[in-house]
């Protein structure tokens, strides 16, 4: 049975909520008096459809429907979850909650996206104050999983319902049982923001320099391990107590504009160290370091694919490393009668599977990257592709000969089996030292990106390809070439 959610206020946050529900199979009923609401939410939905399904390796359920309603009463009718995302003015929120509760079911969850108001403030004058709770998300709501669920004076059954529903949407309800202005996460953001404003105002750093300090440093650590677990690792084998003993006294130093700090007492040290032990004490410091490193590699490789932040630094480093090596060469620099080295790299942590060795898809990626490098060597580079020509892979055959583990340094050498006209037939050999790990045989056709049909390549590309094909024809025929899967 399809569930229904109501979204009251379809701005950036409300639209994100709508996308999270719809793409997880819920029907959504929206009220927003803005005449541009449908357009804005349609644009949010386009972005969400592009990104959210890629987070999971299991297909999301069929999309729910979106209905735009003329009144709040119409929107909340039949809704199991009602999310208020109206402007941050308490009188507007009180009026909105009154209209919601006049028409909604008594057992529906009413969540507020407020970033600043406490539940007790939202509940003032409400017909059923125990029905209203804070469910504060982070933008983009359809991707970021954290929800600060603040439940002062809330109905216990509704709280459990809210937690289960949020979890079913792939979100993490951080249940705060004691209310405070701005909840938890925004208080951290406010502290950093305030300090950043002082640094800019005092001429210490520019806005870009401050952003670089976050995205190239502690921001990456925080993204996967938070604050206290990051510092626990920084304490080394001695743990959190050692870290606090070493850095705790700095809290009294005049470093920041935020000088209202708790007294640094043994009781405070024991309290935080004890909570830290309960949080992650079941891992040794070495295990935590490996978990941290795995997470950092995965995140930074993701950024690398987008050429953004820390990933852009890695791409720039690679470009520099290629200069003056075979991996920066073009066809004219290389002998025609020798295999072409198209990859020499370390197998990253996130390329391994549950068997502890390189997963099947990564062999294909490694060989595909080698093909891309060979294309660059013969002149089919980014500029050429931009002009309208490229190669499309038509057939691939991979032989898995030996295990490859994370950290292995692999080299791929490429032979041109055939290179004439529209056709390019490559045979890649992947090795670790002298050990043959795998081979990849690939047949490609040159195409026009305008017509998407086979077409002859530019003369300089065909010349370079033919040169290698002629030179490689005199080499010994490798084992496994031309193989296909079959039964005797």
């Amino acid at each position: 049975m399809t569930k229904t959610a109501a979204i009251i206020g379809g701005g950036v946050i409300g639209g994100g909520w709508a996308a999270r529900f719809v793409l997880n199979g819920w029907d959504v009923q929206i009220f927003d008096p803005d005449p541009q609401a449908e357009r804005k939410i349609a644009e949010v939905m386009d972005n969400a459809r592009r990104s959210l399904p890629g987070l999971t390796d299991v297909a999301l359920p069929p999309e729910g429907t979106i209905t735009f309603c003329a009144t709040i009463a119409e929107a909340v009718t039949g809704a199991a979850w009602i999310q208020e995302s109206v402007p941050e003015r308490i009188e507007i929120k009180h009026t909105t909650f009154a209209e919601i509760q006049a028409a909604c079911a008594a057992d529906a969850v009413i969540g507020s996206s407020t970033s600043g108001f406490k539940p007790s403030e939202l509940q003032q004058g409400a017909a059923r104050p125990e029905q209203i709770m804070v469910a504060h998300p982070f933008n983009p709501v359809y991707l970021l999983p954290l929800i600060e669920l603040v439940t002062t004076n809330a109905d216990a059954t509704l709280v459990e319902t809210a937690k289960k529903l949020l979890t079913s949407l792939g979100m993490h309800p951080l249940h705060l049982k004691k209310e405070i202005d701005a909840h938890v996460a925004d208080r951290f953001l406010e502290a950093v923001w305030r300090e950043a404003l002082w640094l800019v105002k005092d001429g210490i750093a520019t806005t870009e320099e401050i952003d670089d300090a976050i995205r190239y440093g502690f921001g990456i650590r925080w993204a996967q391990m938070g604050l206290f677990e990051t510092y626990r690792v920084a304490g080394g084998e001695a743990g959190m107590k050692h870290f606090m003993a070493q850095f705790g006294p700095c809290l009294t130093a005049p470093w920041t504009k935020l000088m209202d700090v708790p007294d640094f007492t043994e009781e405070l040290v024991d309290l935080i160290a004890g909570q830290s032990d309960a949080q992650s004490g079941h891992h040794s410091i070495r295990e935590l370091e490996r978990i941290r490193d795995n997470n950092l590699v995965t995140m930074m490789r993701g950024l690398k694919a987008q050429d953004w932040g820390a990933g852009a630094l890695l791409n720039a480093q690679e470009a520099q490393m290629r200069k003056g090596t075979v991996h920066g060469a073009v066809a004219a620099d290389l002998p025609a009668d020798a295999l072409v080295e198209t990859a020499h790299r370390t197998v990253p942590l996130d390329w391994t599977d549950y068997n502890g060795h390189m997963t099947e898809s990564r062999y294909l990626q490694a060989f595909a990257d080698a093909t891309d490098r060979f294309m660059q060597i013969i002149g089919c580079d980014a500029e050429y592709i931009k002009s309208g020509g490229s190669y499309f892979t038509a057939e691939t055959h991979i032989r898995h000969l030996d295990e490859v583990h994370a950290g292995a340094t692999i080299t791929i050498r490429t032979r041109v089996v055939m290179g004439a006209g529209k056709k390019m037939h490559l045979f890649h050999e992947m090795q670790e030292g002298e050990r043959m790990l795998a081979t990849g045989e690939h047949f490609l056709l040159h195409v026009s990106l305008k017509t998407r049909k086979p077409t002859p390549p530019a003369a300089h590309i065909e010349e370079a390809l033919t040169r290698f094909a002629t030179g490689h024809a005199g080499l010994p025929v490798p084992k496994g070439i031309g193989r296909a899967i079959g039964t005797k």
Side-chain angles (χ1 to χ4, degrees), residues 358-402:
M358 194 160 80
T359 193
E360 292 170 309
S361 62
R362 300 301 188 175
Y363 285 86
L364 178 57
Q365 180 175 336
F367 287 135
D369 290 346
T371 297
D372 287 345
R373 174 65 191 127
F374 184 77
M375 287 167 54
Q376 293 173 351
I377 288 171
I378 62 174
C380 187
D381 54 14
E383 286 300 314
Y384 179 80
I385 293 170
K386 191 182 297 182
S387 73
S390 187
Y391 280 93
F392 285 7
T393 301
E395 188 171 347
T396 296
H397 182 76
I398 295 176
R399 297 162 64 232
H400 303 271
L401 305 176
D402 206 342

Side-chain angles (χ1 to χ4, degrees), residues 89-252:
R89 289 171 54 188
I90 195 65
E91 68 275 12
I92 294 177
K93 290 187 182 291
H94 285 163
T95 301
T96 301
F97 288 132
E99 290 191 52
I100 289 172
Q101 290 194 315
C104 76
D107 61 352
V109 175
I110 301 178
S112 174
S113 297
T114 181
S115 59
F117 292 118
K118 300 188 289 288
S120 60
E121 295 172 312
L122 301 175
Q123 294 165 349
Q124 291 173 6
R128 296 182 298 277
E130 70 281 357
Q131 191 177 14
I132 299 170
M133 60 192 78
V134 168
H136 174 234
F138 292 82
N139 187 44
V141 184
Y142 55 80
L143 284 183
L144 296 184
L146 180 64
I147 299 294
E148 291 181 308
L149 190 67
V150 194
T151 60
T152 305
N153 302 321
D155 179 87
T157 300
L158 282 181
V159 172
E160 289 307 308
T161 297
K163 290 162 73 172
K164 289 178 181 177
L165 287 180
L166 290 169
T167 301
S168 74
L169 297 172
M171 308 184 94
H172 178 77
L174 180 64
H175 187 196
L176 306 177
K177 305 172 190 67
K178 186 174 181 179
E179 65 177 25
I180 188 172
D181 291 327
H183 323 315
V184 170
D186 277 354
R187 294 177 72 89
F188 289 132
L189 294 176
E190 179 64 22
V192 174
W193 172 243
R194 189 183 302 118
E195 187 65 22
L197 293 179
W198 277 113
L199 290 171
V200 173
K201 181 178 182 299
D202 292 345
I204 305 300
T206 66
T207 57
E208 184 176 10
E209 288 166 342
I210 290 170
D211 285 347
D212 286 348
I214 295 170
R215 61 182 162 221
Y216 299 141
F218 65 87
I220 303 174
R221 296 188 308 187
W222 282 8
Q224 52 84 42
M225 202 165 269
L227 178 65
F228 284 105
E229 202 157 53
T230 293
Y231 286 159
R232 177 184 176 83
V233 174
E237 294 181 353
M240 193 66 173
K241 275 198 170 187
H242 173 70
F243 174 83
M244 294 190 71
Q246 185 174 4
F247 294 100
C250 297
L251 293 174
T252 60

Side-chain angles (χ1 to χ4, degrees), residues 46 73 86 121 182 192 212 254 279 302 328 372 395 423-424 427 458 486:
D46 286 342
V86 302
E121 295 172 312
V192 174
D212 286 348
Q279 176 183 353
D372 287 345
E395 188 171 347
K423 301 175 181 179
M424 181 164 67
F427 189 81

